[in-house]
Amino acid sequence: MIEIENVCVDFHTKTRTVRALNDVSLSVPQGSVFGLVGESGSGKTTLLRAMMALTAASSGTVKIAGEVVKQNPPLAFRRRVQMVMQDCYASLNPVHTVDQIIGEPLAIHRFDNPEKRILQALKDVGLGPEHRFRFPHQLSGGQRQRVAIARCLAIEPDVMLLDEPTSALDVSIQAEIVNLVMRLQREKGLTLFIISHDLPLVAHMCDRLAIMHKGVVREIITSQDLIDNNVKDEYTKELLSSSL
Amino acid sequence: MSRLDIEDLRVSFASRTGPVPALRGINLSVDGGRLGIVGESGSGKSTMGRAIMGLLPPTATVSARRFEFAGQDMLKASTAQKRSMRGRRIGMIMQDPRYALNPVMTVGAQIAECFKLHHGIVGKAAKAKSLDLLSAVRINDPEIVYDQYPHQVSGGMGQRVMIAIALAGEPELLIADEPTSALDASVRTSFLGLLDQIIKERGMSLILISHDLHLVANFCDRVLVMYGGQVMEECTAADLAHPHHAYTKGLAACRPSLAERLPELRTFTRDPAWMEAKS
């Protein structure tokens, strides 16, 4: 579903060039859950942005469902690939109601019967019709993240990219959101790509994961490898020991 | 060692629909050592830290049967008395260095300012002392960092600068409100190690406010678990492995772990009885 081949991303400043991603290659089969782990500054978000065609790759290709991702992609690409942002306190428009937030992508992608789809999307994420006409500030953090997920799901994507989806939430709410995402993934056969710095969380959610450091993928392992401590790379070992 | 003694602390905020209680009868005493306060968002843990610092907004109403620090009644203290204690006897480290540091002052000037304010030390002497503090918080090139602005230093370094600022007043009690939530997991461990070393060397008491049960269990001596503005459970950090209260148990169980694989993460429902006022 996702094929990333030898992707490099450079950022240019007046005086120097920073290589944010250096020769990253990985592939994620359809319907599986892939995790990306690393410290801040390791290039996780840059990779996600390159997959969303928000940042141009200097070289290499990103393919999603067989199509090469280019800048200014067609509308159909945006429908197929959706993203949940890290901070649900910042990613919902504060002057739009939940109804408008979920309805907007439906209108952009010309879906029929928005009324029914909005209610279904809310139901999918465990919110009721009573939440439909509320503003984001009238919702708790967990409810906001549910709205952000509902907004993605409403337009029936194939791939969902989640950038630290629970780092702004309490652990008890994190557990609810994680269970919700995993249930939806199974029901709808979604391909998920999750960024997190929380190794136990990634081990719980993902089939396979990549460890990034300074723009380089150090190692790609399965979650079982992580649990069995079956890692080879020095940096991964260090990360694993500091997270326990 | 100066003692902090709090009995039946109540804080409520005025709102259009009447007072909203934030703390509902908290008992707490600190006399050396490391106390952890854990709770979820909205549990009142930050209000607690701010109440001790005297940093609550004017909309807050504070009452307590006893609220003493080093023998002084904090409720009766005048604004001037409170100001002379703030930073000097009770220090605070805020959550996020990106917001808590002054963006238009160099790091060094912000530390030197504390020496001027608390000890009347100015000029070269203040600079020398600030440089000492920067090395004490393990900043490698204090001379360079001294002249840098907050946006030029990393998150972990910014957080160490905040400790340096808190230490400049040489407080007896240090309150750290989520000091690691803006830091990476790898930096977090070394930051806590540094904090631990500093409070031990200087014989300070520490109140660590956090939402992370695991972190507090590893780092503190005693722990208060808060929910809905009340203390659910008070225990030693070692006992946190075998919690008594259902809330603490639930909080501990819903964290994913590498040791066991579950089909779903555990969740828990909140018992309305936890919200009822304790006599």
Side-chain angles (χ1 to χ4, degrees):
Chain A
M1 196 62 170
I2 306 173
E3 304 278 340
I4 297 173
E5 280 166 22
N6 310 102
V7 166
C8 296
V9 172
D10 294 327
F11 290 116
H12 305 281
T13 66
K14 267 181 206 158
T15 48
R16 63 194 182 123
T17 298
V18 180
R19 177 146 284 198
L21 289 182
N22 193 357
D23 199 15
V24 171
S25 299
L26 53 89
S27 72
V28 184
Q30 181 168 2
S32 71
V33 185
F34 193 88
L36 193 57
V37 188
E39 297 169 46
S40 43
S42 61
K44 309 188 294 281
T45 303
T46 306
L47 181 58
L48 210 71
R49 289 181 62 91
M51 289 163 66
M52 285 292 285
L54 296 170
T55 298
S58 314
S59 63
T61 53
V62 177
K63 275 192 213 165
I64 291 184
E67 272 177 61
V68 176
V69 175
K70 293 190 288 277
Q71 290 299 289
N72 304 314
L75 202 56
F77 172 82
R78 290 275 180 248
R79 188 196 63 77
R80 194 181 290 147
V81 185
Q82 279 291 307
M83 181 170 176
V84 177
M85 308 269 182
Q86 176 167 14
D87 189 351
C88 49
Y89 291 87
S91 66
L92 302 179
N93 189 333
V95 297
H96 279 185
T97 61
V98 169
D99 179 73
Q100 287 169 300
I101 289 167
I102 302 173
E104 194 168 17
L106 287 172
I108 290 171
H109 294 282
R110 309 225 170 97
F111 273 84
D112 58 351
N113 215 343
E115 174 81 17
K116 199 180 117 217
R117 287 176 192 273
I118 290 171
L119 287 172
Q120 183 59 42
L122 284 175
K123 201 177 153 204
D124 279 347
V125 296
L127 293 174
E130 70 274 18
H131 297 104
R132 187 174 162 193
F133 294 104
R134 292 203 192 160
F135 287 99
H137 72 266
Q138 294 169 310
L139 302 171
S140 68
Q143 287 170 336
R144 283 180 213 218
Q145 204 57 304
R146 283 170 197 262
V147 171
I149 294 168
R151 173 174 60 184
C152 290
L153 288 176
I155 54 170
E156 299 167 0
D158 304 321
V159 179
M160 234 162 96
L161 310 174
L162 301 107
D163 188 357
E164 303 258 13
T166 58
S167 66
L169 306 174
D170 282 318
V171 274
S172 56
I173 311 299
Q174 165 176 292
E176 289 170 16
I177 296 290
V178 165
N179 290 345
L180 168 75
V181 168
M182 296 316 285
R183 177 172 62 76
L184 292 167
Q185 189 270 334
R186 284 193 301 272
E187 283 175 10
K188 298 179 191 284
L190 293 166
T191 308
L192 294 185
F193 195 96
I194 300 163
I195 289 185
S196 178
H197 63 265
D198 187 341
L199 282 172
L201 181 71
V202 168
H204 171 79
M205 293 179 82
C206 301
D207 308 315
R208 287 190 311 138
L209 60 135
I211 290 100
M212 282 191 79
H213 183 55
K214 294 186 173 167
V216 177
V217 170
R218 299 295 294 252
E219 198 169 7
I220 296 178
I221 54 175
T222 65
S223 293
Q224 198 56 48
D225 288 336
L226 194 66
I227 290 162
D228 299 339
N229 216 340
N230 179 24
V231 296
K232 292 183 187 72
D233 188 75
E234 282 306 312
Y235 176 73
T236 315
K237 284 179 189 164
E238 207 178 294
L239 202 66
L240 204 56
S241 66
S242 72
S243 80
L244 294 178
Chain B
M1 188 70 63
S2 339
R3 252 182 97 87
L4 175 71
D5 262 311
I6 294 177
E7 268 177 45
D8 196 27
L9 174 66
R10 287 167 192 276
V11 173
S12 64
F13 290 97
S15 79
R16 265 186 298 180
T17 49
V20 178
L23 295 180
R24 305 184 300 155
I26 304 277
N27 300 323
L28 171 141
S29 72
V30 180
D31 193 5
R34 299 162 296 188
L35 173 72
I37 299 181
V38 217
E40 296 179 278
S41 24
S43 62
K45 56 190 194 304
S46 288
T47 304
M48 184 83 199
R50 284 171 182 270
I52 299 169
M53 268 307 263
L55 285 177
L56 290 172
T59 50
T61 316
V62 185
S63 73
R65 210 175 315 133
R66 211 166 109 118
F67 191 170
E68 284 177 4
F69 178 70
Q72 183 171 11
D73 190 336
M74 301 286 277
L75 288 178
K76 291 204 183 93
S78 66
T79 313
Q81 276 172 322
K82 275 192 202 157
R83 191 185 296 148
S84 70
M85 293 181 92
R86 214 177 279 145
R88 179 71 185 84
R89 304 196 65 181
I90 309 178
M92 190 163 188
I93 303 173
M94 301 282 184
Q95 188 164 353
D96 195 334
R98 282 171 300 180
Y99 299 115
L101 293 173
N102 185 343
V104 295
M105 257 175 104
T106 60
V107 161
Q110 294 185 55
I111 304 173
E113 187 184 38
C114 298
F115 280 108
K116 184 184 171 196
L117 182 69
H118 298 303
H119 309 287
I121 302 170
V122 289
K124 278 187 186 148
K127 179 167 181 176
K129 280 197 163 269
S130 306
L131 288 173
D132 284 347
L133 267 186
L134 282 175
S135 350
V137 295
R138 293 192 213 142
I139 283 180
N140 290 333
D141 303 305
E143 296 273 355
I144 295 170
V145 174
Y146 187 91
D147 290 318
Q148 278 181 327
Y149 286 92
H151 72 271
Q152 294 173 303
V153 303
S154 67
M157 234 198 250
Q159 202 56 285
R160 280 179 279 169
V161 169
M162 301 243 287
I163 308 190
I165 289 174
L167 290 179
E170 292 167 13
E172 295 135 66
L173 172 65
L174 190 62
I175 302 169
D177 188 358
E178 302 264 13
T180 59
S181 62
L183 304 180
D184 269 326
S186 51
V187 188
R188 198 169 290 176
T189 321
S190 71
F191 175 82
L192 287 173
L194 170 70
L195 194 61
D196 190 39
Q197 182 206 333
I198 281 171
I199 59 161
K200 277 196 182 122
E201 275 171 13
R202 298 175 189 232
M204 298 178 345
S205 318
L206 176 77
I207 297 180
L208 180 75
I209 299 171
S210 175
H211 65 276
D212 191 340
L213 201 65
H214 190 67
L215 182 147
V216 167
N218 281 329
F219 185 70
C220 294
D221 308 314
R222 273 188 315 133
V223 179
L224 290 185
V225 182
M226 283 182 70
Y227 178 74
Q230 297 187 92
V231 174
M232 292 288 119
E233 184 163 355
E234 180 176 2
C235 61
T236 63
D239 285 345
L240 214 50
H242 316 283
H244 294 289
H245 197 281
Y247 176 67
T248 322
K249 278 183 195 164
L251 213 54
C254 61
R255 196 173 187 275
S257 142
L258 280 179
E260 54 170 351
R261 281 205 102 165
L262 300 166
E264 285 213 315
L265 293 178
R266 291 188 199 91
T267 54
F268 63 99
T269 40
R270 290 160 174 75
D271 189 344
W274 301 343
M275 283 301 282
E276 278 165 26
K278 285 193 254 179
S279 53

